[in-house]
Amino acid sequence: MWQFLKTWYHRLASPKWFYHTSGRWLPYLAAVTILLLVSGAIWGLGFAPEDARQGNSYRIIYIHVPVSVLALVGYYLMAVAGAIALIWKIKLADMVMVSAAPLGAVLTFLALLTGSIWGKPTWGTYWEWDARITSMLVLLFLYLGVLALSRAFTSRDTAYKACAILSLVGTVNIPIIYKSVDWWYTLHQPATIKLTGGSTIHPAMFKPLLVMIIGFYCFYALVLILNTRAEILRREQRSAWVRELI
Amino acid sequence: MSDLVFQFPNVNAFLAMNGHGVYVWSAYGISALVLLSVALAPVRRRRKLLAAMASRLKHETGNGTP
Amino acid sequence: MVSESGFGALLRRDLLLAFRSGGELLNPLVFFVMTTSLVPLAISPSPLQLAVMAPGMIWITALLATLLALDSVFKDDFDDGSLLPLLLCPQSLWLSVLAKVLVHWLRTGLPITLVAPLLGIMLALPEAGFLPLVIGLACGTACFSLIGAVGAALTVALQKGGVLLSLIVIPLYFPVLIFGASAVQRAVEGLQYMPVLALLGAFFAFALLTTPFAAAAALRVGVNG
């Protein structure tokens, strides 16, 4: 058992092994992703019942919610990869972390954008200082900070270590930020604005949402792997196995 | 699966979405564009890298065997 | 006891250096007063309107003033070479970091806290708001210094780290600003503000326990540029 774990550990840590194995699985993952996202979107757009209160504008939920979930999950993934890279000095982990930062920032931006488009027909404004939107905005700032920091260093080794520390500090802070923003919002909540409770969603509306969430998880994994592969190639261009690829 | 019916009488109603069409379709359209470009960026980056490496390799071997 | 005397010696040295630099010592404070006095000019001199803005504006300018001096927490020592011995000496690095943070707070947070009531008068802050403003600022600026030290340590070797430092640190300041400013606001509205200050105090205790270690780790990474 121990031996098995050990070989896996060494394999996983090897960029070469990762590059070859992920290359074999990528087409399947891409096919599943496209299938899930396209069918989920068609289901959500055309076949899910209309919401009684919000009408058809609620259909944005099928993008907004999965994107928001992955934006947050992505930050934790980035921090965990950073911690692994810091503690065990695994090269692959820091490549994953570097690849996760821009992807997460784009997803957070999309979450804000779709939320704001959704807000117009629902609340009558594009922007509302609501607890969730504000938390998302702070998350975007956290991502932008990590991105800016990673660009600032000339030494790649220092850059990933610095980003790992910053994202770990951010991870500790995220629950506190969310709680404080939540609390701040209850202080200032105008009585006229009511959020749609996600808890009482109808099953016929929830099923396509589930498909989309799984689809977006696949999408995230797919793009993260693609990014990591590109990063591996860039860093290992001098090694023998990369030369053999050409 | 029998309860899965198309919710709109025709394509025009599907596009209009009872007046919410602009919001829904713009949200889906922009998201599709952004996600597609995010997914294609590493593919393009990898292809460029491979091309650059190939040309460099050719250059090096060309110098090595005069 | 070696570590204690090391902490004390470092503290004394840094305070002495800060005092010798003369005018520079007061710069964050002057910045604080200047930016706050822009508020009535930009918005309105009417006391009614100012009273609404006062808690938030004082807190925001206090945040910016501490941010302004953050760059130099480790950088001066890094530039003149006196930081490297700290990384190598037997005293735990987090204690040295704590000394630096304390000096930063004494240079920015403390004078800002002491002058804030004056600005409160100028911005027509209602009387009930003064006590929570002072307590909150004393605690909150300490949080700013502690969290900021992590960012300052990460960017210590960068030539143009100033703006970057603000970018990475400001998102981490959100909870402090929310608790601090709303404690004053609640007091002005006649509501209980002690629970909010207690939350701020809890955040401070948490930051005090964790950030020196994070900043020490960050410093070891940051000095490599």
Side-chain angles (χ1 to χ4, degrees), chain A residues 7-15 17-18 90 92-93:
Chain A
T7 51
W8 262 93
Y9 172 84
H10 284 293
R11 274 187 173 178
L12 263 177
S14 144
W17 180 85
F18 179 84
I90 296 179
L92 190 62

mmCIF file with all atom_site columns, all heavy atoms in Angstrom, chain A residues 7-15 17-18 90 92-93:
data_model
loop_
_atom_site.group_PDB
_atom_site.id
_atom_site.type_symbol
_atom_site.label_atom_id
_atom_site.label_alt_id
_atom_site.label_comp_id
_atom_site.label_asym_id
_atom_site.label_entity_id
_atom_site.label_seq_id
_atom_site.pdbx_PDB_ins_code
_atom_site.Cartn_x
_atom_site.Cartn_y
_atom_site.Cartn_z
_atom_site.occupancy
_atom_site.B_iso_or_equiv
_atom_site.pdbx_formal_charge
_atom_site.auth_seq_id
_atom_site.auth_comp_id
_atom_site.auth_asym_id
_atom_site.auth_atom_id
_atom_site.pdbx_PDB_model_num
ATOM 1   N N   . THR A 1 7  ? 4.789  5.472  -5.327  1.00 0.00 ? 7  THR A N   1
ATOM 2   C CA  . THR A 1 7  ? 4.984  5.584  -6.771  1.00 0.00 ? 7  THR A CA  1
ATOM 3   C C   . THR A 1 7  ? 4.027  6.612  -7.352  1.00 0.00 ? 7  THR A C   1
ATOM 4   O O   . THR A 1 7  ? 4.384  7.386  -8.240  1.00 0.00 ? 7  THR A O   1
ATOM 5   C CB  . THR A 1 7  ? 4.757  4.234  -7.474  1.00 0.00 ? 7  THR A CB  1
ATOM 6   O OG1 . THR A 1 7  ? 3.509  3.720  -7.058  1.00 0.00 ? 7  THR A OG1 1
ATOM 7   C CG2 . THR A 1 7  ? 5.853  3.251  -7.166  1.00 0.00 ? 7  THR A CG2 1
ATOM 8   N N   . TRP A 1 8  ? 2.801  6.632  -6.805  1.00 0.00 ? 8  TRP A N   1
ATOM 9   C CA  . TRP A 1 8  ? 1.846  7.629  -7.297  1.00 0.00 ? 8  TRP A CA  1
ATOM 10  C C   . TRP A 1 8  ? 2.313  9.038  -7.015  1.00 0.00 ? 8  TRP A C   1
ATOM 11  O O   . TRP A 1 8  ? 2.186  9.920  -7.859  1.00 0.00 ? 8  TRP A O   1
ATOM 12  C CB  . TRP A 1 8  ? 0.477  7.389  -6.654  1.00 0.00 ? 8  TRP A CB  1
ATOM 13  C CG  . TRP A 1 8  ? -0.366 6.625  -7.573  1.00 0.00 ? 8  TRP A CG  1
ATOM 14  C CD1 . TRP A 1 8  ? -0.515 5.280  -7.619  1.00 0.00 ? 8  TRP A CD1 1
ATOM 15  C CD2 . TRP A 1 8  ? -1.130 7.157  -8.647  1.00 0.00 ? 8  TRP A CD2 1
ATOM 16  N NE1 . TRP A 1 8  ? -1.333 4.948  -8.647  1.00 0.00 ? 8  TRP A NE1 1
ATOM 17  C CE2 . TRP A 1 8  ? -1.727 6.062  -9.297  1.00 0.00 ? 8  TRP A CE2 1
ATOM 18  C CE3 . TRP A 1 8  ? -1.370 8.439  -9.128  1.00 0.00 ? 8  TRP A CE3 1
ATOM 19  C CZ2 . TRP A 1 8  ? -2.550 6.216  -10.403 1.00 0.00 ? 8  TRP A CZ2 1
ATOM 20  C CZ3 . TRP A 1 8  ? -2.198 8.592  -10.214 1.00 0.00 ? 8  TRP A CZ3 1
ATOM 21  C CH2 . TRP A 1 8  ? -2.777 7.495  -10.836 1.00 0.00 ? 8  TRP A CH2 1
ATOM 22  N N   . TYR A 1 9  ? 2.872  9.200  -5.832  1.00 0.00 ? 9  TYR A N   1
ATOM 23  C CA  . TYR A 1 9  ? 3.358  10.520 -5.433  1.00 0.00 ? 9  TYR A CA  1
ATOM 24  C C   . TYR A 1 9  ? 4.428  10.994 -6.415  1.00 0.00 ? 9  TYR A C   1
ATOM 25  O O   . TYR A 1 9  ? 4.408  12.117 -6.906  1.00 0.00 ? 9  TYR A O   1
ATOM 26  C CB  . TYR A 1 9  ? 3.907  10.408 -4.010  1.00 0.00 ? 9  TYR A CB  1
ATOM 27  C CG  . TYR A 1 9  ? 4.627  11.614 -3.504  1.00 0.00 ? 9  TYR A CG  1
ATOM 28  C CD1 . TYR A 1 9  ? 3.916  12.673 -2.946  1.00 0.00 ? 9  TYR A CD1 1
ATOM 29  C CD2 . TYR A 1 9  ? 6.000  11.710 -3.564  1.00 0.00 ? 9  TYR A CD2 1
ATOM 30  C CE1 . TYR A 1 9  ? 4.567  13.777 -2.478  1.00 0.00 ? 9  TYR A CE1 1
ATOM 31  C CE2 . TYR A 1 9  ? 6.659  12.805 -3.091  1.00 0.00 ? 9  TYR A CE2 1
ATOM 32  C CZ  . TYR A 1 9  ? 5.940  13.844 -2.537  1.00 0.00 ? 9  TYR A CZ  1
ATOM 33  O OH  . TYR A 1 9  ? 6.597  14.941 -2.072  1.00 0.00 ? 9  TYR A OH  1
ATOM 34  N N   . HIS A 1 10 ? 5.341  10.090 -6.738  1.00 0.00 ? 10 HIS A N   1
ATOM 35  C CA  . HIS A 1 10 ? 6.424  10.497 -7.629  1.00 0.00 ? 10 HIS A CA  1
ATOM 36  C C   . HIS A 1 10 ? 5.924  10.728 -9.044  1.00 0.00 ? 10 HIS A C   1
ATOM 37  O O   . HIS A 1 10 ? 6.377  11.632 -9.726  1.00 0.00 ? 10 HIS A O   1
ATOM 38  C CB  . HIS A 1 10 ? 7.528  9.436  -7.616  1.00 0.00 ? 10 HIS A CB  1
ATOM 39  C CG  . HIS A 1 10 ? 8.348  9.512  -6.379  1.00 0.00 ? 10 HIS A CG  1
ATOM 40  N ND1 . HIS A 1 10 ? 9.160  10.579 -6.102  1.00 0.00 ? 10 HIS A ND1 1
ATOM 41  C CD2 . HIS A 1 10 ? 8.455  8.695  -5.317  1.00 0.00 ? 10 HIS A CD2 1
ATOM 42  C CE1 . HIS A 1 10 ? 9.735  10.398 -4.935  1.00 0.00 ? 10 HIS A CE1 1
ATOM 43  N NE2 . HIS A 1 10 ? 9.313  9.264  -4.431  1.00 0.00 ? 10 HIS A NE2 1
ATOM 44  N N   . ARG A 1 11 ? 4.964  9.886  -9.445  1.00 0.00 ? 11 ARG A N   1
ATOM 45  C CA  . ARG A 1 11 ? 4.419  10.075 -10.783 1.00 0.00 ? 11 ARG A CA  1
ATOM 46  C C   . ARG A 1 11 ? 3.700  11.408 -10.899 1.00 0.00 ? 11 ARG A C   1
ATOM 47  O O   . ARG A 1 11 ? 3.903  12.161 -11.838 1.00 0.00 ? 11 ARG A O   1
ATOM 48  C CB  . ARG A 1 11 ? 3.420  8.968  -11.064 1.00 0.00 ? 11 ARG A CB  1
ATOM 49  C CG  . ARG A 1 11 ? 4.050  7.732  -11.607 1.00 0.00 ? 11 ARG A CG  1
ATOM 50  C CD  . ARG A 1 11 ? 2.947  6.819  -11.976 1.00 0.00 ? 11 ARG A CD  1
ATOM 51  N NE  . ARG A 1 11 ? 3.441  5.653  -12.660 1.00 0.00 ? 11 ARG A NE  1
ATOM 52  C CZ  . ARG A 1 11 ? 2.650  4.667  -13.049 1.00 0.00 ? 11 ARG A CZ  1
ATOM 53  N NH1 . ARG A 1 11 ? 1.366  4.739  -12.786 1.00 0.00 ? 11 ARG A NH1 1
ATOM 54  N NH2 . ARG A 1 11 ? 3.130  3.639  -13.683 1.00 0.00 ? 11 ARG A NH2 1
ATOM 55  N N   . LEU A 1 12 ? 2.851  11.691 -9.883  1.00 0.00 ? 12 LEU A N   1
ATOM 56  C CA  . LEU A 1 12 ? 2.070  12.921 -9.927  1.00 0.00 ? 12 LEU A CA  1
ATOM 57  C C   . LEU A 1 12 ? 2.959  14.138 -9.923  1.00 0.00 ? 12 LEU A C   1
ATOM 58  O O   . LEU A 1 12 ? 2.640  15.164 -10.500 1.00 0.00 ? 12 LEU A O   1
ATOM 59  C CB  . LEU A 1 12 ? 1.126  12.975 -8.713  1.00 0.00 ? 12 LEU A CB  1
ATOM 60  C CG  . LEU A 1 12 ? -0.288 12.519 -8.982  1.00 0.00 ? 12 LEU A CG  1
ATOM 61  C CD1 . LEU A 1 12 ? -1.078 12.548 -7.700  1.00 0.00 ? 12 LEU A CD1 1
ATOM 62  C CD2 . LEU A 1 12 ? -0.944 13.399 -10.012 1.00 0.00 ? 12 LEU A CD2 1
ATOM 63  N N   . ALA A 1 13 ? 4.094  14.001 -9.241  1.00 0.00 ? 13 ALA A N   1
ATOM 64  C CA  . ALA A 1 13 ? 4.982  15.138 -9.146  1.00 0.00 ? 13 ALA A CA  1
ATOM 65  C C   . ALA A 1 13 ? 5.744  15.356 -10.443 1.00 0.00 ? 13 ALA A C   1
ATOM 66  O O   . ALA A 1 13 ? 6.379  16.384 -10.616 1.00 0.00 ? 13 ALA A O   1
ATOM 67  C CB  . ALA A 1 13 ? 5.951  14.940 -7.988  1.00 0.00 ? 13 ALA A CB  1
ATOM 68  N N   . SER A 1 14 ? 5.695  14.378 -11.344 1.00 0.00 ? 14 SER A N   1
ATOM 69  C CA  . SER A 1 14 ? 6.501  14.497 -12.547 1.00 0.00 ? 14 SER A CA  1
ATOM 70  C C   . SER A 1 14 ? 5.721  15.174 -13.670 1.00 0.00 ? 14 SER A C   1
ATOM 71  O O   . SER A 1 14 ? 4.696  14.655 -14.120 1.00 0.00 ? 14 SER A O   1
ATOM 72  C CB  . SER A 1 14 ? 6.951  13.102 -12.992 1.00 0.00 ? 14 SER A CB  1
ATOM 73  O OG  . SER A 1 14 ? 6.964  13.028 -14.391 1.00 0.00 ? 14 SER A OG  1
ATOM 74  N N   . PRO A 1 15 ? 6.176  16.337 -14.114 1.00 0.00 ? 15 PRO A N   1
ATOM 75  C CA  . PRO A 1 15 ? 5.484  17.034 -15.190 1.00 0.00 ? 15 PRO A CA  1
ATOM 76  C C   . PRO A 1 15 ? 5.369  16.191 -16.450 1.00 0.00 ? 15 PRO A C   1
ATOM 77  O O   . PRO A 1 15 ? 4.360  16.232 -17.158 1.00 0.00 ? 15 PRO A O   1
ATOM 78  C CB  . PRO A 1 15 ? 6.364  18.256 -15.439 1.00 0.00 ? 15 PRO A CB  1
ATOM 79  C CG  . PRO A 1 15 ? 7.100  18.467 -14.184 1.00 0.00 ? 15 PRO A CG  1
ATOM 80  C CD  . PRO A 1 15 ? 7.313  17.109 -13.615 1.00 0.00 ? 15 PRO A CD  1
ATOM 81  N N   . TRP A 1 17 ? 5.121  12.852 -16.737 1.00 0.00 ? 17 TRP A N   1
ATOM 82  C CA  . TRP A 1 17 ? 4.034  11.883 -16.597 1.00 0.00 ? 17 TRP A CA  1
ATOM 83  C C   . TRP A 1 17 ? 2.685  12.580 -16.741 1.00 0.00 ? 17 TRP A C   1
ATOM 84  O O   . TRP A 1 17 ? 1.785  12.107 -17.429 1.00 0.00 ? 17 TRP A O   1
ATOM 85  C CB  . TRP A 1 17 ? 4.145  11.199 -15.231 1.00 0.00 ? 17 TRP A CB  1
ATOM 86  C CG  . TRP A 1 17 ? 3.081  10.188 -14.997 1.00 0.00 ? 17 TRP A CG  1
ATOM 87  C CD1 . TRP A 1 17 ? 3.098  8.891  -15.393 1.00 0.00 ? 17 TRP A CD1 1
ATOM 88  C CD2 . TRP A 1 17 ? 1.829  10.394 -14.341 1.00 0.00 ? 17 TRP A CD2 1
ATOM 89  N NE1 . TRP A 1 17 ? 1.936  8.267  -15.034 1.00 0.00 ? 17 TRP A NE1 1
ATOM 90  C CE2 . TRP A 1 17 ? 1.131  9.169  -14.376 1.00 0.00 ? 17 TRP A CE2 1
ATOM 91  C CE3 . TRP A 1 17 ? 1.218  11.490 -13.739 1.00 0.00 ? 17 TRP A CE3 1
ATOM 92  C CZ2 . TRP A 1 17 ? -0.127 9.014  -13.831 1.00 0.00 ? 17 TRP A CZ2 1
ATOM 93  C CZ3 . TRP A 1 17 ? -0.043 11.333 -13.185 1.00 0.00 ? 17 TRP A CZ3 1
ATOM 94  C CH2 . TRP A 1 17 ? -0.695 10.100 -13.238 1.00 0.00 ? 17 TRP A CH2 1
ATOM 95  N N   . PHE A 1 18 ? 2.551  13.732 -16.094 1.00 0.00 ? 18 PHE A N   1
ATOM 96  C CA  . PHE A 1 18 ? 1.293  14.476 -16.153 1.00 0.00 ? 18 PHE A CA  1
ATOM 97  C C   . PHE A 1 18 ? 0.970  14.864 -17.590 1.00 0.00 ? 18 PHE A C   1
ATOM 98  O O   . PHE A 1 18 ? -0.159 14.735 -18.042 1.00 0.00 ? 18 PHE A O   1
ATOM 99  C CB  . PHE A 1 18 ? 1.388  15.728 -15.280 1.00 0.00 ? 18 PHE A CB  1
ATOM 100 C CG  . PHE A 1 18 ? 0.152  16.572 -15.305 1.00 0.00 ? 18 PHE A CG  1
ATOM 101 C CD1 . PHE A 1 18 ? -0.916 16.281 -14.479 1.00 0.00 ? 18 PHE A CD1 1
ATOM 102 C CD2 . PHE A 1 18 ? 0.034  17.646 -16.174 1.00 0.00 ? 18 PHE A CD2 1
ATOM 103 C CE1 . PHE A 1 18 ? -2.063 17.042 -14.507 1.00 0.00 ? 18 PHE A CE1 1
ATOM 104 C CE2 . PHE A 1 18 ? -1.109 18.408 -16.212 1.00 0.00 ? 18 PHE A CE2 1
ATOM 105 C CZ  . PHE A 1 18 ? -2.158 18.111 -15.372 1.00 0.00 ? 18 PHE A CZ  1
ATOM 106 N N   . ILE A 1 90 ? 6.854  20.614 -4.908  1.00 0.00 ? 90 ILE A N   1
ATOM 107 C CA  . ILE A 1 90 ? 6.482  19.878 -6.113  1.00 0.00 ? 90 ILE A CA  1
ATOM 108 C C   . ILE A 1 90 ? 6.290  20.877 -7.246  1.00 0.00 ? 90 ILE A C   1
ATOM 109 O O   . ILE A 1 90 ? 5.471  21.792 -7.137  1.00 0.00 ? 90 ILE A O   1
ATOM 110 C CB  . ILE A 1 90 ? 5.193  19.076 -5.868  1.00 0.00 ? 90 ILE A CB  1
ATOM 111 C CG1 . ILE A 1 90 ? 5.459  18.020 -4.801  1.00 0.00 ? 90 ILE A CG1 1
ATOM 112 C CG2 . ILE A 1 90 ? 4.716  18.424 -7.154  1.00 0.00 ? 90 ILE A CG2 1
ATOM 113 C CD1 . ILE A 1 90 ? 4.269  17.184 -4.460  1.00 0.00 ? 90 ILE A CD1 1
ATOM 114 N N   . LEU A 1 92 ? 5.011  20.533 -10.183 1.00 0.00 ? 92 LEU A N   1
ATOM 115 C CA  . LEU A 1 92 ? 3.713  20.486 -10.846 1.00 0.00 ? 92 LEU A CA  1
ATOM 116 C C   . LEU A 1 92 ? 2.681  21.338 -10.099 1.00 0.00 ? 92 LEU A C   1
ATOM 117 O O   . LEU A 1 92 ? 1.864  22.025 -10.707 1.00 0.00 ? 92 LEU A O   1
ATOM 118 C CB  . LEU A 1 92 ? 3.238  19.039 -10.924 1.00 0.00 ? 92 LEU A CB  1
ATOM 119 C CG  . LEU A 1 92 ? 2.014  18.810 -11.795 1.00 0.00 ? 92 LEU A CG  1
ATOM 120 C CD1 . LEU A 1 92 ? 2.298  19.192 -13.226 1.00 0.00 ? 92 LEU A CD1 1
ATOM 121 C CD2 . LEU A 1 92 ? 1.567  17.372 -11.708 1.00 0.00 ? 92 LEU A CD2 1
ATOM 122 N N   . ALA A 1 93 ? 2.755  21.303 -8.752  1.00 0.00 ? 93 ALA A N   1
ATOM 123 C CA  . ALA A 1 93 ? 1.778  22.046 -7.955  1.00 0.00 ? 93 ALA A CA  1
ATOM 124 C C   . ALA A 1 93 ? 1.885  23.544 -8.230  1.00 0.00 ? 93 ALA A C   1
ATOM 125 O O   . ALA A 1 93 ? 0.875  24.234 -8.330  1.00 0.00 ? 93 ALA A O   1
ATOM 126 C CB  . ALA A 1 93 ? 1.976  21.753 -6.475  1.00 0.00 ? 93 ALA A CB  1
#
